[in-house]
Amino acid sequence: MIAEPNAAGNLPSQKENAVRDETVPESAVQNGSCVRNGNLKTPREKRKVREQCENVRRSSSSSRRVSQLQNGEVVEAVTLFEVVSMGKRAMQSVVDDWVEAYKQDRNVALLDLINFFIQCSGCQGMVTAEMFQSLQKKDVMQKMTETFDEETGLQYKKFVAYPWILTVTWPVDMDNEDYPLIRTGPYWKKFKANFCEFIAVLVQQCQCSILYDSYLMDTIISLLTGLADSMVRAFRHTSTLAAMKLLTAVVSVHLNLDVNKHNAQRLYEVEKKRISGKRTNYRLDQLERKRKEYEHKLLEMQNMMNAIFKGTFLNRYRDVIPEIRATCIEEIGSWIKTYPDAFLNDSYLKYIGWMLYDKQAEVRLKCLLGLQGIYSRKELVSRMDLFTSRFKDRIVSMPLDKDHEVAVQAMKLLMLMSQNCEDVLSAEDCETLYQFVYTTHRPLAVAAGEFLYKRLLSHEGGEEVQPKGGGKFGASTDQLKRLIHFFLESELHKHVAYLIDSLWDWAGKFLKDWECMTTLLLKNAEEDGEELSDAHESALIEIILATVREAAEGHPPVGRGAAKKILSVKEKKIQLEDCTKITEHFIVVLPQLLAKYSTDAQKVANLLQIPQYYDLDVYSTGHLEKHLDALLREVKDIVTKHSDISVLEASSRTYYVLCSEEIAIYSQVDHARTQLIDELMGQLNQLLDDFWQREEGFCTDAREISRMHSALRRVAAFHNAHDLTKWNLYDKTLRLLVFEMEHGSLPVLMILPSLQCTYFSLLWQLAAVSENPPKETLFALGRELRRFSQICMCFLHHKEKDVREKAFMILCDWLLILSHQDSNNNEEAVGLLDYLPSTSLQEKLLLFIQEHVFMEEEEESKDLTEEEERKNESCKLDDLHKKRSLLAAYCKLIVYNVVEMTAAAEIYKHYVKTYNDFGDIIKETLSRTRHNNKIQSAKTLILCLQQLFQRHVESQDSSSSVDFSSASFTNMKELARRFSLTFGWDQVKSRESVAMIHKEGIEFAFQGATGVDGKCLPPNLTFLAIIGEFSNKLLKPDKRLVYAYLQRYIAEPLPCRGDEWQPLIWYRNSLLANEDEESSVLGSSGEWSPVGASKVSSFKRKLSNGSLPEASQTEAASKAPDLQRASQLASAAGKSRKRLKSREMHLQEHLPFLCPGGLRRRYCKDEIKTEEVSEEGQAEDVIEDVDVDVVGADQEN
């Protein structure tokens, strides 16, 4: 049985040494001969050994000399490591040279190979050896250690590599974890492949000779096993990879030997039968010796395999380093596929099953890829029953993996299991997996589409299923019906475009069978005994539209895929052929479908979207104008029948697509469009005349209102895409709006389309302004623009909510257009038509948002039935959608500077409270405003917090002390924390903004204090606890700057005792957190240390300008003693930190403009270390904010 896998948390916590190994291509660890003494006590002895080893060169290396040009100099490769890393020679010749050297002197050649593995680990030290036979066994076991010599600063590893005891020595003062396997750059790009190839070729070339000498492989296996037990990552990683590749090569040799042994056995038996009457035979004896030789070699190979597996794999497959675990799992999968007779059993499979639970995606991915190779072979699947039953549930859950590639490969593995394992997946499992066709990650959706198509839609079992209806489209009809049934059964998802896109790569042929689909829609029940239901017809029409869109556009639907993919020449050719096929088919069929479903709004709205994908030239080239007339007749009939906005907009867009002036059918379509609009305007004029004649419109019944509403909606839908200015629609609809303003008696059904029509009319007039229009025209248009704006402002207070929301949306779009229109670069026209909202209008818009978006509505607690609950939830979702649209429209005004950025402070107040509903909109607004103006955006954030704090103070009892646990104060701190998280990890990028927040916050906290001496408690001192949430976003130099600016307000020593001063203590501690100079700043009595008057005034002068100061060279020179003292503190604190050159250069450019004079970094070597800001230093500052909520991280400064 396979044991239970341990939880990921039970992985052995193997402690890694902090040793960092490094090497360079031209450096080579010199090969040493056998050293007489392995216990070197003094540095002199160790130095002598190193010199001896470096002075020894073996003659065998001369045959491998390779030259490579580096930096204009020729570098000679004289060691195996250099030859392999350069990769300039064929690996087989390199190995052949080494084998020849081994045959001449195996000890020297083996030491050469040992040095090769040590150098491949990145070790820059040396290797010495002493003979195993010269020591007692007990002493040997005591010497198997890995120690650090504090006297010399060297690391030692002593272990057995039979027949030697090897001592590897290397320095530990290196400051990186760099070794060849993980290095980047062109030189090391192919090192891993060359390294693995060398091991494979070595075993292959030795398999006929020295592989079985009980010396070579024993030494290599002992070496790799010893290195694999090291606490140094470089040794462990390199030796594990080498051991795994060595075992892979040995498995291949074992497999060949097994085949040869069976062949020899068969020949032996044949020869034995042939000479059954004779006593002896030379041929028979020869075959017998050959068979025994193979058996002996197989036994040796089996011992080698066991030694590597038990010595390396069992210890390293759960290593703390994920790359090592992934290597082990990848290779065991290779062994199982290569040699299933030996490895395909539960004792090996269990390791793959256990590592399916690994925390690292890389390891899980290797498990899945290995299992794919096994499950893809039917002859192996029958031996996987126990594994499948044990780990099936885990595999079924892995398409939900957080790593996309793991999820995709898990779905592909399940596809193979479904194909090759009978009934391994239950119906519930399949239903769960089918739903992944709706996921937004396209590769996973495509893999799920393959699973759905092959499991459900295609002919199962590869047998031809006889369709019930028979006929030309029998098979495709059956597939279509199953697809429709699946789509309708998917209650949680109604995204047919996603479904079609998932199936496109696998079922493209039958999804492009539009003839079959339309035939299925047009056939009658008499022709076929089975007719589609209404729901099935609607689903099929949606499928037709989705397939037409996918074929014509050639890219995934919105939301699946970052951008439109670039089509290849072959894909473009297929796309053009599909467009032609769509056009030729639907030109004839679409009028028939529209005629059949003309009364069904949903079906017609979908069908009317198909003409936008036509190749319109086919009408004229194919002489199909009669079908165009039929289409136009049907569309005109649909417009007169329907008032549904989706149908009307689809009809309007159809006329817009067909009315392209570049094509031959323009005049024909334009004539039909003019006739239709004439009829619509005639109906509207008649209704308006009747309306104004009946006592100024007060006597209207419901039927007349409905007719008026329909007429206005039809005209508004067409006015959106077509210029109806010549029909003088503007005056008619404006009169209705003015009447409503004066009397307030029009029904909502008339007001809404009238507003829309008036808005469209003005937009068309604005777009029609020529390059040099008469001033009278501009003045008249500007007057009408302002008039319409006043109407919308008036409607913001309308009694009907729908009218208020419609007026607000139109007004926001209107203001955005007017403030950014260019009137064909005519400055005079821009000046006359420009319209920016006044302060009162901005206040009205903000008040509208507060009342209609953020105002909480009281919920009525009633016992509702299930149906009523469903309707209630649907209404809530619709209401939320409207609120999001209103908020987005207003936020666009802020982002594009139509209204003041400070208005965003009122929006930001609701960030935390309404995060689930509006968090994405508010976060995007914050990102865009910060991109426009960092400083002003920071001031808006602090203004938001100040307003909330003032409201909090007003709500508190003036006599009571500050309640830090109150809900309002806690909410403010949480809001400040979330604002802080939006700055992300890059503290240099947000440096000015964060400094501004602290400056404004400190000034606000001490606002209203009685005197600069700071002895009286400032009324807003508690605000410091709020801005303390931003302290971790300050760089270390800026923390000292802000601290000095804080000292300006408390220039004398001040005892910070009592709860009322607690915020000041908190804020001070947040600025001095992890600072080494804290002891010099704080007194032992808990008092504030005084600051010199000149220093205070300097910080006051610099920060009062609203930006961080720039220091002159003379100021920096005068502050040299201060810098030296700061240098001592900073170097003591940052002695062990890593410093990156790129970060240094970046700060060297910016800090002179950002740091105070006394703290500015000097441009000399010693002083750069003083105020250096490292990556680790930044990480220390932000370590408490793990859940970074980054806004605008991808935007440029």
Side-chain angles (χ1 to χ4, degrees), residues 407-446:
V408 172
Q409 298 304 326
M411 184 62 72
K412 291 182 178 180
L413 174 59
L414 289 165
M415 179 71 248
L416 293 173
M417 294 173 66
S418 173
Q419 287 179 327
N420 298 327
C421 302
E422 294 183 3
D423 302 327
V424 67
L425 297 177
S426 64
E428 292 77 11
D429 293 334
C430 292
E431 289 296 329
T432 302
L433 297 175
Y434 291 157
Q435 300 305 313
F436 283 97
V437 295
Y438 296 107
T439 186
T440 55
H441 183 59
R442 191 172 190 273
L444 177 58
V446 170

Side-chain angles (χ1 to χ4, degrees), residues 815-861:
L815 292 173
L816 189 63
I817 292 171
L818 291 180
S819 61
H820 287 78
Q821 50 87 24
D822 57 2
S823 296
N824 299 318
N825 300 319
N826 189 319
E827 294 183 1
E828 184 179 8
V830 171
L832 290 173
L833 299 178
D834 194 17
Y835 183 79
L836 289 175
S838 61
T839 304
S840 61
L841 177 54
Q842 293 186 36
E843 292 174 354
K844 289 180 181 178
L845 293 175
L846 182 57
L847 182 63
F848 185 92
I849 286 293
Q850 291 174 327
E851 292 177 351
H852 289 76
V853 176
F854 297 117
M855 190 73 71
E856 295 184 1
E857 300 179 359
E858 297 182 1
E859 296 185 5
E860 299 180 0
S861 56

Side-chain angles (χ1 to χ4, degrees), residues 1150-1161:
H1150 291 281
L1151 275 176
F1153 300 95
L1154 299 176
C1155 285
L1159 296 176
R1160 179 179 173 183
R1161 191 194 319 192

Side-chain angles (χ1 to χ4, degrees), residues 78-94:
V78 295
T79 65
L80 275 176
F81 171 72
E82 291 175 343
V83 173
V84 172
S85 60
M86 289 180 180
K88 292 294 183 180
R89 292 187 60 191
M91 203 60 65
Q92 186 168 342
S93 63
V94 174

